[in-house]
Amino acid sequence: MQQNNSTTEFILLGLTQDPMKKKMVFVIFFIFYLGTVVGNFLIIVTIKSSRTLGSPMYYFLFYLSLADFCFSTSTAPRLIVDSLSAKNIITYNECMTQVFALHFFGCMEVLVLILMAFDRYVAICKPLHYPAIMRRRVCTILIVLAWIGSFIHSTTQIILALRLPFCGPNLIDHYCCDLQPLLKLACVDTFVINLLLVSNSGAIASSSFVILMISYIVILHSLRNHSAEGRKKALSTCTSHIIVVIIFFGPCIFIYTRPRTTFPMDKMVAVFYTIGTPFLNPLIYTLRNAEVKNAMRKLWHIKITSESRR
């Protein structure tokens, strides 16, 4: 990576500098990350192995869990390791790589959530046309387009980051590398770059949130014409999706849609969508979904039975 400055490394200040609190950070986020890895791994393996979870909704959930795992892995391991270190140094290239990964998998999660909302809209509002519209080939094309869109978005972000010249302080008041904390260190007027950031990440977060909420309002409105059992099942599924959308997009919009200002709470807000959401998604999608829970029970019952017979 070409760097437009004399800075070769940065120092991440993390969530806290207090030694006792850093130990608490290690314990808390180690548990969160372990839960994220185990939870998303269980969903990925269950969907891949179960014949009953072959519908488009679970096809998209598979990729949401994959994106969640990668998204959390782009920040959580470093936060956990740095909480045990006295000086948290990250090289320029590592920092730029983290910016790319953070936005790539974050954007992938946004796009998969939109695809899941589209799937629910077609299933509930156009049930007769659902098999024709949501064919496996169509779902595959949509996921490929989501990967391409994520790559374009993250490439745009890394181009903005690589254009920033750093020639002074190298202390990043954050637990990870992102454009907002890097803008504070740049020795140049960052008004235009911040405007591009808001028009890119901010616009994606805001417009996606509006689209998702409108789609779920339309879906919930259309449930009036369904049977009581159908309404209950659809409402349970949509409620899970809406909870995920609010938890993920609320902090994202707060961070990426405002001018060049930073607040002390920014780091904790970022924790919600970088670490909190990937941890909560498996819980929300399994605890509120009988099909996933039943498939998990069957899968692991078969595995335990086969192991005991050996």
Side-chain angles (χ1 to χ4, degrees):
M1 294 180 185
Q2 294 295 319
Q3 57 190 81
N4 205 16
N5 52 79
S6 57
T7 302
T8 58
E9 62 185 28
F10 299 100
I11 297 174
L12 295 169
L13 296 181
L15 291 174
T16 180
Q17 292 296 297
D18 184 274
M20 193 63 194
K21 289 181 180 178
K22 288 179 78 171
K23 292 178 182 177
M24 292 173 61
V25 167
F26 171 81
V27 173
I28 292 170
F29 289 101
F30 178 79
I31 294 171
F32 267 70
Y33 183 61
L34 184 63
T36 300
V37 172
V38 172
N40 285 293
F41 176 76
L42 283 175
I43 289 179
I44 289 170
V45 172
T46 302
I47 293 174
K48 205 69 177 174
S49 306
S50 176
R51 294 180 180 178
T52 60
L53 302 179
S55 68
M57 183 176 75
Y58 298 113
Y59 179 76
F60 293 137
L61 179 58
F62 172 89
Y63 284 99
L64 180 67
S65 293
L66 181 62
D68 273 335
F69 167 74
C70 296
F71 186 48
S72 181
T73 301
S74 67
T75 57
R78 179 154 208 116
L79 171 62
I80 293 166
V81 172
D82 285 351
S83 64
L84 299 177
S85 305
K87 197 173 184 180
N88 309 323
I89 296 174
I90 183 170
T91 67
Y92 181 89
N93 285 354
E94 288 172 344
C95 185
M96 295 301 109
T97 301
Q98 190 173 57
V99 170
F100 182 86
L102 187 67
H103 284 271
F104 180 81
F105 294 112
C107 186
M108 184 63 187
E109 182 161 349
V110 169
L111 296 177
V112 172
L113 286 171
I114 292 174
L115 293 180
M116 292 177 76
F118 176 69
D119 171 71
R120 290 300 85 202
Y121 169 79
V122 177
I124 295 170
C125 300
K126 310 281 185 181
L128 298 178
H129 302 285
Y130 183 76
I133 295 173
M134 301 305 295
R135 302 189 308 274
R136 179 50 62 96
R137 186 180 177 186
V138 172
C139 294
T140 303
I141 291 171
L142 290 173
I143 285 294
V144 170
L145 290 175
W147 285 114
I148 294 171
S150 301
F151 180 78
I152 292 171
H153 166 70
S154 53
T155 301
T156 303
Q157 300 302 294
I158 200 67
I159 289 172
L160 292 177
L162 290 171
R163 289 174 62 86
L164 291 173
F166 303 103
C167 49
N170 66 341
L171 296 175
I172 298 178
D173 189 17
H174 213 288
Y175 61 87
C176 67
C177 281
D178 200 2
L179 277 171
Q180 282 82 1
L182 287 174
L183 287 174
K184 292 178 64 177
L185 302 182
C187 50
V188 69
D189 183 14
T190 57
F191 176 80
V192 174
I193 294 178
N194 186 79
L195 198 63
L196 292 171
L197 175 64
V198 171
S199 63
N200 188 333
S201 297
I204 289 174
S206 301
S207 60
S208 298
F209 179 73
V210 171
I211 291 169
L212 286 165
M213 293 312 295
I214 290 173
S215 68
Y216 284 119
I217 289 171
V218 172
I219 290 170
L220 293 174
H221 183 264
S222 70
L223 289 177
R224 296 179 306 164
N225 304 322
H226 288 66
S227 64
E229 186 180 347
R231 279 200 303 270
K232 184 179 179 181
K233 185 177 179 181
L235 190 60
S236 176
T237 302
C238 290
T239 302
S240 302
H241 292 196
I242 291 170
I243 291 170
V244 170
V245 166
I246 292 172
I247 293 174
F248 181 76
F249 283 96
C252 283
I253 291 171
F254 176 79
I255 294 291
Y256 292 109
T257 58
R258 63 175 198 252
R260 292 178 296 171
T261 53
T262 55
F263 301 109
M265 68 175 70
D266 283 357
K267 291 186 284 188
M268 289 309 301
V269 171
V271 165
F272 274 95
Y273 67 88
T274 58
I275 298 173
T277 305
F279 171 76
L280 291 173
N281 277 356
L283 297 175
I284 292 170
Y285 282 112
T286 53
L287 294 178
R288 296 185 62 86
N289 193 308
E291 288 181 320
V292 175
K293 285 191 288 187
N294 291 335
M296 280 187 177
R297 288 193 195 103
K298 289 178 182 177
L299 175 65
W300 298 107
H301 175 72
I302 291 169
K303 285 188 177 292
I304 292 170
T305 304
S306 61
E307 285 292 330
S308 62
R309 287 176 179 174
R310 289 182 181 180

